[in-house]
């Protein structure tokens, strides 16, 4: 009890560092990259200042820059020229992500992990994460699995190190695991977006990926922000189906979920610090309302403190410089 106990004694200078409980390392970070088939030079995403879409011709150069900062991994998103009802340009051998993987691997080999987003929403004309029954407007779960299998196998074949299915389609992890194994990719891990919420914080991403839904929304596949036990059920299913790493998304408004997943399952856990989280900090900093560097550190350390092993974040490059 006070006055014998004084917690302020440990808060000064080097002592403060000595008793620090959580550390942030560049090794924890994953930088997302958008690759756009339609552009010739990098284009800044207007709602995400400092984040660019890259043409195929420059993706390897960007990946090299990321790798040289010490960041171990990138997460690739493709923006295709051609979209249709079935997302057919998502699984071809020479489609945008498959090409990007090849170019990055040709340049960097094992120096950088290439993780790929496996979902249909960037490739469908209606923007949904699967095949839609055009009469009922329902997402056809099981038919969608067939496309997801093709996407995942095509990414692995192009050289992806990890595939990350993000559509919250029931059975997606099991289906993809089976397809990868059948094609000889039993060593390619699955990083599953197991607890992905139906969030307003994906807005800037959808501008970037041109993946807004032309009707309806993603509430039949993405989770209700009010639910926590449901996230645990989702994670349990994905683990049973063979997921190697679990993603909770978004990160900051769902730190309780990150904590529960890490403590209840004890498996490698990633948190996705999404586009809207990035943009709101950037906007406040641009107005001089926040100290940008300190706020970035505080965002990321809070995600680590909650239990994340991996942080997927648009701040990865900034953070790598701050940590240096
Ligand atoms: C695709 C996907 C989305 C994000 C990652 N993968 C968008 C969505 O569900 O609309 C969002 C990432 C972000 O906001 O940074 N299914």
């Amino acid at each position: 009890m006070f006055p014998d106990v004084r917690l302020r004694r440990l808060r000064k200078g080097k002592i403060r560092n000595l008793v620090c409980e959580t550390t942030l390392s560049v090794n924890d970070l994953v930088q997302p990259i958008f690759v756009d088939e339609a552009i010739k030079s990098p284009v800044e995403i207007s709602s995400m200042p400092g984040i660019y879409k890259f043409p195929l011709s420059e993706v390897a150069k960007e990946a090299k820059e990321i790798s040289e900062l010490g960041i171990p991994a990138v997460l690739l998103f493709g923006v295709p020229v051609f979209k249709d009802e079935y997302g057919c340009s998502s699984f071809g051998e020479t489609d945008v992500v498959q090409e990007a993987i090849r170019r990055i691997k040709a340049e960097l080999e094992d120096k950088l992990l290439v993780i790929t987003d496996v979902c249909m929403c960037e490739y469908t004309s209606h923007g949904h994460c699967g095949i839609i029954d055009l009469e009922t407007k329902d997402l056809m779960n099981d038919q969608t699995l067939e496309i997801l299998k093709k996407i995942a196998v095509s990414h692995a074949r192009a050289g992806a190190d990890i595939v990350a299915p993000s559509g919250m389609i029931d059975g997606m992890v099991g289906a993809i695991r089976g397809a990868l194994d059948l094609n000889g990719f039993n060593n390619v891990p699955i990083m599953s977006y197991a607890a992905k919420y139906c969030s307003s914080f994906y807005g800037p991403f959808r501008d970037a990926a041109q993946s807004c839904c032309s009707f309806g929304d993603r509430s039949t596949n993405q989770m209700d922000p009010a639910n926590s036990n449901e996230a645990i059920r989702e994670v349990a299913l994905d683990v049973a189906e063979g997921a190697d790493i679990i993603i909770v998304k978004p990160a900051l408004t769902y730190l309780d979920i990150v904590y529960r997943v890490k403590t209840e399952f004890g498996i490698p856990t990633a948190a996705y610090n999404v586009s809207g989280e990035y943009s709101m900090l950037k906007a406040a900093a641009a107005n001089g309302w926040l100290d940008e560097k300190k706020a970035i550190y505080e965002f990321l350390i809070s995600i680590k403190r909650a239990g994340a092993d991996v942080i997927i974040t648009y701040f990865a490059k900034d953070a790598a410089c701050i940590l240096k």
Side-chain angles (χ1 to χ4, degrees), residues 34-55:
F34 296 99
V35 198
D36 189 333
E37 219 173 14
I39 57 178
K40 292 269 175 296
S41 53
V43 175
E44 191 170 19
I45 299 158
S46 58
S47 52
M48 300 180 75
I51 301 295
Y52 292 78
K53 295 198 274 189
F54 292 92

Side-chain angles (χ1 to χ4, degrees), residues 32 34 48 75 77 117-122 129 166-167 193 196-197 199 201-206 211 218 222 249 272-276 314:
F34 296 99
M48 300 180 75
L75 173 60
F77 292 98
D117 185 75
V118 175
C119 192
M120 288 173 62
C121 62
E122 295 111 89
C129 302
S166 68
Y193 291 72
K196 177 175 179 181
Y197 286 85
S199 169
F201 291 103
Y202 307 148
F205 173 95
R206 290 179 191 167
S211 64
R218 296 189 179 138
Q222 299 180 348
K249 178 182 169 184
Y272 196 142
N273 179 210
V274 299
S275 59
Y314 302 95

Side-chain angles (χ1 to χ4, degrees), residues 93-161:
E93 212 183 303
T94 56
D95 282 332
V96 58
V97 168
Q98 292 78 357
E99 273 298 321
I101 301 167
R102 269 191 217 97
R103 286 171 190 242
I104 296 172
K105 283 291 163 189
E107 172 81 28
L108 295 165
E109 296 171 352
D110 290 340
K111 288 196 208 95
L112 183 72
L113 290 170
V114 175
I115 310 172
T116 57
D117 185 75
V118 175
C119 192
M120 288 173 62
C121 62
E122 295 111 89
Y123 304 90
T124 51
S125 43
H126 44 65
H128 284 279
C129 302
I131 300 177
I132 296 289
D133 179 326
L134 291 176
E135 256 166 49
T136 63
K137 308 277 192 233
D138 279 343
L139 194 149
M140 297 162 81
N141 193 90
D142 301 13
Q143 289 85 339
T144 298
L145 294 177
E146 295 310 310
I147 310 264
L148 296 182
K149 292 195 301 201
K150 290 190 194 182
I151 301 176
V153 170
S154 71
H155 288 177
R157 200 166 274 143
D161 296 292

